[in-house]
Every structure is written in C-alpha cells, then in structure tokens.
Amino acid sequence: MTSVLTQAVRRHPPTARALRTADGRSVSYGELLRLTSVMADGLAERGVTAGRTVAFILRNSVEHVAAILAVADLGARYVPLLNAFDDAGISRALARTETVLLITDGHREVRGRPGLPLVRVSELSRSTAAPPAPAGAPHQGVFRLLWSSGSPGFPKVIAWRQDAFLSERLRWLANTAITSSDVFFCRHPLDVTAATDLHMFPALLCGGELVLADPAASPVKLLHQLAGSRATVMSALPHHYAELVRARQQPRPVTGSVVELSRLRLPLCPGASLSPRLVRDARRILGIHIRRIHGPTAYGLALSEVRGR
C-alpha cells in the first residue's frame, strides 16, 4: 500500500522533524510515516478499500495528518465534515459522498447515519507500530472530496486526484522557491484547502516542517505562537492579518515575551479584500510584507506582490 503523495514524503530523512502541534507535540518524518502505516492497517481492517470514502470530524493533530495520508495510501478518499454542518447537514453529506466510515476525535457529538461505523482516531493509532509500507505501484486516483462555497443551496463536492494534485503542488514549491529549510505556520483547520494545500502538503513534500496552531486560539496567542515557531511561510486571510496587527499593538500582551517575525519571508494572503492600508500596517507594525496569491479553489495559480495599489 502506498500513494504518490506518501511516496514523495518518504524521500526525506526519517529523523528530520516533520510536524509540531500547539500543545508541544513533535514527530519526525519516520514517526509520521510509521503512524500513517498503522492507521492505514486500521482502516483496512474496518473495510476501507480503494475507491471508498471516509469522513473526518477532526481537530488539528498529528493523527489528522496521518489519517489523510493513510486514506491516500489505501487508494480511498476522505471528506471533511465542516463545522458549519448541523446534524441534518452531516447526514446529507454522508449520504451524498457514500461514506463507509466516520472518524472522529470526540470533540463534537456526532449522530452520523444509522448503520454507519464510527471510530475514534485514537483507536486507529493504537496498534503496534508497523514499518512504512514499501514503495510499489502507487495509487494515483481521487484521494479527497472537498465542499464548494459561494453557491446557493447545499455545497457541491469537488474531487482531487493524487497525481494531478502532486504535480500542481510541486510546481507551486518550485515557483515560490520553498525548500526543506522552510517552516510553515498553519492557523487554519485541516478541513479546508488553505490548510492542506498551502501548508500541510507543501511542508511535507519539500521536507520542511509543519506547525499546526489551534485555530480557536486568540489573536494574541496566535501572534506569539507564530513568533515562537520561527515560521518562514504562512497563509492567512486579510482579517487574520488585521487581528495580528491589533494584537501586536497591545501593550506587552504576554509578560516577558518577544514578537519577532523577521524570518517570515512568505506571508501569503488569498483574500480579494486585501487593502493597501493593511499591507502598510503589516509592514510597519509586524515587520512583514504580505504577498497576495490568486487562484480559485486550487491555490498557487499565481503569486504577486502588493505595493500600495
């Protein structure tokens, strides 16, 4: 069992740090791949096979990242259930995507559908660690289903192929000159493309380091986590940057702490509402130069700088 995505990740030194979380947990590439293998075995034992859909209701965690890779390794596909979905919306989403298994971490009560198996993500990671699966003929088909936005009615489903996705992400890395020395600070939940396509996969594909913040943390806390992470790459919406600017202007928000963001060379922003004033405030107050990026749904179609216009 393997996928073109994890096959690319396996090229990196197994001892290099792959992932950190807001609670201080850290794993290497070798540890992440072993966990991926264990979780893939757990999913297979529960009847997940190629072409089947697994639904996630998960917070940001090491296990969430490993579960995404494990589903891809099986040739299956995952679909995140958005926080905005109520019980009726979850039931409708599960039926529409023909989900065979629902994975949760227990942070939200889930009713699911009658007869649909539900498993805690911790149960999938409890098995005896197995070595990473040997590379073979990798799965290249659909590995992810995401929800559209901005259209009336219930969101539509968008499918992503592994091979096309990998090619596009590698092109993005080459065009932005991102390398294994980069550190990605992700303040988004992993159920949206801003988290996976601009943080998780670029970090893992280039051999860099992914830092998963808590999306529910206050702007002040996120600002200090960002500074402490020594991040070089981050993407956030205009209102996120505005919150960081306001947080930085608060008098000594954390006793004895220092906010220094000079390493953040690629502060990206996909928001169309990015204003010249915010760009100037971010440069003056945070010391960063926001880069606007363009591209509907599939990020990375173009990268440009905003210089006051």
Side-chain angles (χ1 to χ4, degrees):
M1 294 182 294
T2 188
S3 71
V4 294
L5 295 173
T6 50
Q7 193 176 61
V9 175
R10 286 193 179 97
R11 300 191 181 105
H12 309 313
T15 57
R17 186 158 59 181
L19 175 61
R20 275 184 284 157
T21 60
D23 59 6
R25 186 179 176 189
S26 173
V27 297
S28 67
Y29 275 92
E31 291 168 332
L32 176 62
L33 288 169
R34 283 192 291 272
L35 179 58
T36 295
S37 181
V38 168
M39 296 185 79
D41 287 343
L43 290 170
E45 291 172 0
R46 290 166 173 82
V48 178
T49 57
R52 298 295 185 93
T53 302
V54 179
F56 291 176
I57 299 184
L58 299 171
R59 291 168 294 186
N60 286 3
S61 66
V62 172
E63 286 75 18
H64 193 159
V65 173
I68 292 174
L69 296 176
V71 169
D73 267 3
L74 293 174
R77 57 196 64 174
Y78 81 95
V79 59
L81 301 181
L82 303 179
N83 288 328
F85 287 165
D86 57 15
D87 289 343
I90 288 177
S91 180
R92 187 173 179 181
L94 293 173
R96 176 168 294 187
T97 55
E98 300 181 348
T99 296
V100 299
L101 183 71
L102 177 58
I103 303 176
T104 179
D105 56 15
H107 78 281
R108 175 180 174 182
E109 184 178 354
V110 183
R111 300 184 187 277
R113 289 188 295 128
L116 177 68
L118 186 149
V119 61
R120 289 286 186 100
V121 70
S122 57
E123 297 175 26
L124 293 175
S125 57
R126 283 177 186 163
S127 305
T128 302
H139 294 293
Q140 301 188 57
V142 173
F143 80 103
R144 179 174 69 179
L145 303 173
L146 290 181
W147 302 101
S148 67
S149 61
S151 57
F154 198 78
K156 299 177 178 62
V157 178
I158 305 169
W160 301 72
R161 285 183 58 89
Q162 289 194 45
D163 50 356
F165 177 79
L166 175 61
S167 175
E168 198 279 332
R169 288 297 84 197
L170 292 177
R171 182 185 60 78
W172 162 260
L173 291 173
N175 288 345
T176 51
I178 288 172
T179 70
S180 60
S181 64
D182 280 303
V183 177
F184 294 72
F185 184 83
C186 179
R187 54 99 55 232
H188 306 282
L190 284 171
D191 56 8
V192 298
T193 55
T196 53
D197 296 18
L198 293 176
H199 297 88
M200 174 187 154
F201 279 108
L204 298 182
L205 291 174
C206 77
E209 183 179 350
L210 174 66
V211 179
L212 288 178
D214 177 6
S218 69
V220 168
K221 188 171 183 179
L222 285 170
L223 175 64
H224 287 271
Q225 286 181 355
L226 173 61
S229 72
R230 298 176 64 81
T232 60
V233 183
M234 179 185 74
S235 178
L237 295 173
H239 75 271
H240 295 145
Y241 284 110
E243 289 172 348
L244 293 178
V245 167
R246 289 193 292 269
R248 182 65 180 86
Q249 292 175 304
Q250 295 185 24
R252 298 183 66 83
V254 177
T255 303
S257 61
V258 177
V259 174
E260 212 287 306
L261 303 179
S262 63
R263 292 175 58 89
L264 188 58
R265 68 181 186 86
L266 284 180
L268 308 175
C269 182
S273 58
L274 179 64
S275 69
R277 179 177 179 179
L278 179 55
V279 173
R280 290 194 298 269
D281 287 347
R283 182 188 289 275
R284 178 174 59 87
I285 297 169
L286 298 177
I288 62 176
H289 180 192
I290 298 175
R291 308 300 209 277
R292 174 179 284 173
I293 54 177
H294 302 271
T297 303
Y299 290 108
L301 300 181
L303 175 66
S304 67
E305 295 183 355
V306 177
R307 295 186 180 274
R309 297 198 308 176

